[in-house]
Amino acid sequence: MIIDLSGKAAIITGAGRGIGRQIALTLAREGVKTALLDVRQELLDEVGELFAEQGFTSAQYLCDVRDADRVTEVVREVQSLFGRIDILVNNAGVASGGVVESLGEEIWDLNMDINLKGTFLMCKAVAPIMKAQNGGRILNAASFAAIVPAYGSAAYASSKAAVKQFTRVLAGELGPWNVTVNCYSPGMIPTDMNHFADLSEERQNRLLDTLTLRRWGSKDDVANLICFLASDLASYITGTMIDVSGGKLATQIPVIAYEAAERKDVKAR
Ligand SMILES: NC(=O)c1ccc[n+]([C@@H]2O[C@H](COP(=O)([O-])OP(=O)(O)OC[C@H]3O[C@@H](n4cnc5c(N)ncnc54)[C@H](O)[C@@H]3O)[C@@H](O)[C@H]2O)c1
């Protein structure tokens, strides 16, 4: 079985660093022409250099996904550059938090505007192009927080839960044009967003103890899923959310299995 993405064209938002950069690199290695969007020019410069060194066909666009006019303009430019847009990855996101009692409106708005409205604006601009092509793949970054929210994550978790529902609505609207719309929920991938790898050993262990596969996820774990979902192999998958979280909270107290394995005790319960 071969994932053949060669010749396709993709837009990846928040591609300047972290998971988005890895998604873009992985798609590019599979022969995809990539449009890299980010709100930070210095990250775009870095990533542009990296892609040029590797000889990938790509272009960088300074674009805040909250800015409807800029989103429309960039999508138009990408379409005229590559002639089509086969894949849209709405990866750009922020995760600002705080408990509800003291949560500032600006933090609430920031999460909603980037995570949810940004996804909406990108989809709105790309949908007519994919409909005209009679095909496309839209992939939206949700989060494990859309399944089980963490303490102090009201703004973030609510925005990501809304991304999940938005994904289903759009999947229904675009089904007749062979455009699939899915979201994915990464969990516990150390990046500059969460600095998991810099926490004290004790705090890292507390988090790792919630994972059925007791290790941090990698950016590749997410990027590989995106390649599959963007390919023809996934043509019958739409309107769903796929969890890439090492089975976070999939099992009750997963650490018990690791303690038993250490004791080589296969009978213990
Ligand atoms: N890392 C994880 O464990 C994890 C878990 C669940 C969900 N996610 C989701 O995955 C996505 C990527 O996360 P990450 O950990 O790589 O984060 P990150 O902070 O490392 O990267 C986010 C990127 O988005 C860009 N960005 C931020 N605001 C933007 C805007 N308004 N317009 C355009 N670009 C913007 C940033 O400049 C940055 O390059 C996010 O949507 C996040 O919520 C990550």
Side-chain angles (χ1 to χ4, degrees):
M1 196 183 292
I2 294 171
I3 292 187
D4 183 10
L5 294 172
S6 53
K8 294 194 185 288
I11 294 181
I12 302 102
T13 68
R17 72 176 194 192
I19 296 171
R21 181 191 289 202
Q22 196 58 31
I23 290 171
L25 272 169
T26 308
L27 289 172
R29 282 192 203 111
E30 294 297 319
V32 176
K33 294 173 267 190
T34 52
L36 314 173
L37 277 54
D38 208 285
V39 74
R40 288 175 56 186
Q41 186 61 52
E42 76 281 12
L43 295 177
L44 284 175
D45 292 344
E46 241 181 64
V47 86
E49 230 171 83
L50 185 68
F51 275 57
E53 275 166 22
Q54 312 259 339
F56 296 142
T57 305
S58 90
Q60 296 78 49
Y61 299 89
L62 188 65
C63 179
D64 185 330
V65 294
R66 293 171 288 184
D67 179 344
D69 291 342
R70 181 64 183 143
V71 162
T72 309
E73 183 179 52
V74 166
V75 167
R76 230 184 260 135
E77 281 179 34
V78 175
Q79 193 202 9
S80 78
L81 180 69
F82 294 145
R84 52 190 298 114
I85 299 171
D86 301 291
I87 303 159
L88 167 64
V89 185
N90 284 307
N91 159 84
V94 288
S96 311
V99 293
V100 172
E101 268 183 64
S102 57
L103 186 63
E105 262 184 67
E106 70 290 354
I107 299 291
W108 178 268
D109 289 345
L110 187 75
N111 282 270
M112 290 297 170
D113 287 353
I114 297 177
N115 300 346
L116 180 58
K117 187 175 159 191
T119 297
F120 154 64
L121 292 175
M122 289 298 306
C123 290
K124 186 175 175 182
V126 165
I129 296 168
M130 290 187 170
K131 280 170 74 173
Q133 292 167 182
N134 200 36
R137 296 272 185 274
I138 297 178
L139 298 157
N140 298 327
S143 169
F144 191 80
I147 306 171
V148 181
Y151 177 79
S153 72
Y156 179 71
S158 302
S159 72
K160 293 297 191 175
V163 165
K164 180 183 174 200
Q165 202 68 335
F166 171 79
T167 297
R168 296 178 67 171
V169 172
L170 191 61
E173 292 179 5
L174 297 182
W177 288 272
N178 199 31
V179 176
T180 67
V181 189
N182 291 292
C183 62
Y184 52 98
S185 55
M188 313 284 241
I189 319 285
T191 63
D192 290 333
M193 177 184 266
N194 51 41
H195 300 282
F196 284 147
D198 304 328
L199 296 173
S200 69
E201 199 181 330
E202 190 206 338
R203 290 194 63 198
Q204 288 198 35
N205 281 330
R206 275 175 70 181
L207 292 173
L208 288 168
D209 283 349
T210 64
L211 302 177
T212 301
L213 299 175
R214 198 180 177 286
R215 66 166 175 84
W216 297 125
S218 70
K219 294 167 198 150
D220 278 322
D221 289 323
V222 182
N224 293 341
L225 171 70
I226 297 298
C227 277
F228 168 69
L229 289 175
S231 77
D232 290 346
L233 298 177
S235 57
Y236 203 51
I237 301 174
T238 196
T240 196
M241 178 164 80
I242 300 191
D243 164 21
V244 205
S245 70
K248 186 171 159 73
L249 300 175
T251 54
Q252 291 186 25
I253 323 180
V255 70
I256 289 176
Y258 289 83
E259 290 165 356
E262 198 145 292
R263 293 194 307 270
K264 299 192 178 17
D265 181 356
V266 288
K267 286 195 208 126
R269 283 200 62 221

